[in-house]
Amino acid sequence: MQAFWPGPLTLILPRREGVAAAAAGGQPSIGLRCPAHPVALALLRACAAQDPPVHALAGPSANRFGKVSPTSAAHVQAEFGDALMVLDGGPCDVGIESTIVDATRGAPVLLRPGVLTAAQLEKACGQKVWSPVEWAARRDAGGVPAMAPRASGTLESHYAPNARVRLMDAAQIQTGLDLLGPDAARMAVYARAPLRVPSRQVLQRTMPADAALAARQLFAVLRELDAHGVGLIWVETPPDHPEWEGVHDRLRRAAAT
């Protein structure tokens, strides 16, 4: 908390009995975070100034279950219409959701990567941060068993647009475009590499070479391509580098449908 709050880190912590049961879905743990956005912080301060004071707010993502997260007020309004009142703080600076670390097992377990890398987390907490796969192997080898908290953002299939998403390397995308030729059905390509696109039916968007910028734009691009009515989105697989882990995670889950 001292290292990263306010900021894009969610901590799963044991929940005291009788506190925030509805917000936690009745689970014995609860996810807590402190946003860095000045509008969100102003809202929290205004709540704390009430009599009696409200020291926290329960807030899920403003999107339908399993779908692409919003990164602007316009995205929320497009999805829900007038059903929600929207406090508009401008486009999200980070874009993808927060890093989720489970701190209920006696050792930190990274449930969902974000812009914070495992190396940054390990430096801050002074110990290894386990992946769910590593923790499962440790448990099978006789470590302390623990069930993962239920959180929609950690589901195998999530963050999916209406179009089908397929992750491919640049060479595979180019081969596919060449095979489809000028008669390709309406589809989209989101890639860093320069590509030859022989059909006007194929929408092309360039993925930034910078991981932080790609994270900021990712969900807006997926929503834009959905709005164009494409049925398929081919996405170039992000680089195998810690800075890209959050973007890769969201694309992998979007492609799991």
Side-chain angles (χ1 to χ4, degrees):
M1 293 178 183
Q2 291 173 345
F4 300 116
W5 280 7
L9 171 68
T10 296
L11 292 176
I12 306 294
L13 301 169
R15 182 177 62 84
R16 185 180 303 166
E17 187 175 354
V19 176
Q27 297 186 83
S29 59
I30 188 167
L32 301 179
R33 61 176 171 256
C34 181
H37 196 287
V39 174
L41 290 173
L43 176 62
L44 290 172
R45 293 190 186 102
C47 290
Q50 300 302 304
D51 186 20
V54 177
H55 294 296
L57 293 175
S61 297
N63 59 287
R64 300 190 186 279
F65 180 77
K67 295 301 182 180
V68 177
S69 296
T71 54
S72 72
H75 295 162
V76 180
Q77 291 169 333
E79 192 149 348
F80 292 98
D82 296 329
L84 297 179
M85 181 187 301
V86 180
L87 179 61
D88 188 355
C92 292
D93 290 333
V94 176
I96 62 173
E97 302 83 356
S98 59
T99 301
I100 299 179
V101 176
D102 179 11
T104 67
R105 314 188 196 199
V109 178
L110 179 60
L111 297 186
R112 181 179 70 187
V115 296
L116 300 176
T117 66
Q120 289 174 296
L121 297 170
E122 290 177 349
K123 182 178 179 180
C125 66
Q127 59 178 299
K128 178 178 174 58
V129 174
W130 301 79
S131 72
V133 173
E134 290 173 327
W135 186 261
R138 181 185 180 191
R139 183 184 60 200
D140 293 341
V144 179
M147 294 300 292
R150 297 187 303 275
S152 60
T154 64
L155 297 176
E156 183 63 26
S157 175
H158 206 58
Y159 313 114
N162 294 322
R164 294 172 58 197
V165 175
R166 292 294 176 263
L167 281 175
M168 311 159 70
D169 64 37
Q172 290 173 322
I173 294 176
Q174 187 62 70
T175 298
L177 291 172
D178 292 342
L179 289 173
L180 292 174
D183 299 323
R186 190 160 181 79
M187 59 176 290
V189 171
Y190 186 43
R192 299 178 310 284
L195 298 167
R196 300 182 306 277
V197 181
S199 172
R200 294 183 179 181
Q201 288 286 84
V202 177
L203 299 181
Q204 189 174 12
R205 296 294 181 269
T206 301
M207 181 186 296
D210 177 73
L213 185 56
R216 189 179 308 150
Q217 296 181 1
L218 175 61
F219 289 143
V221 169
L222 293 180
R223 283 178 173 270
E224 178 206 352
L225 295 176
D226 252 355
H228 281 287
V230 301
L232 182 64
I233 304 173
W234 286 354
V235 181
E236 183 181 352
T237 303
D240 186 15
H241 190 277
E243 292 181 354
W244 285 88
E245 188 177 3
V247 173
H248 197 174
D249 172 83
R250 303 311 186 275
L251 286 170
R252 180 180 59 79
R253 296 180 197 273
T257 55

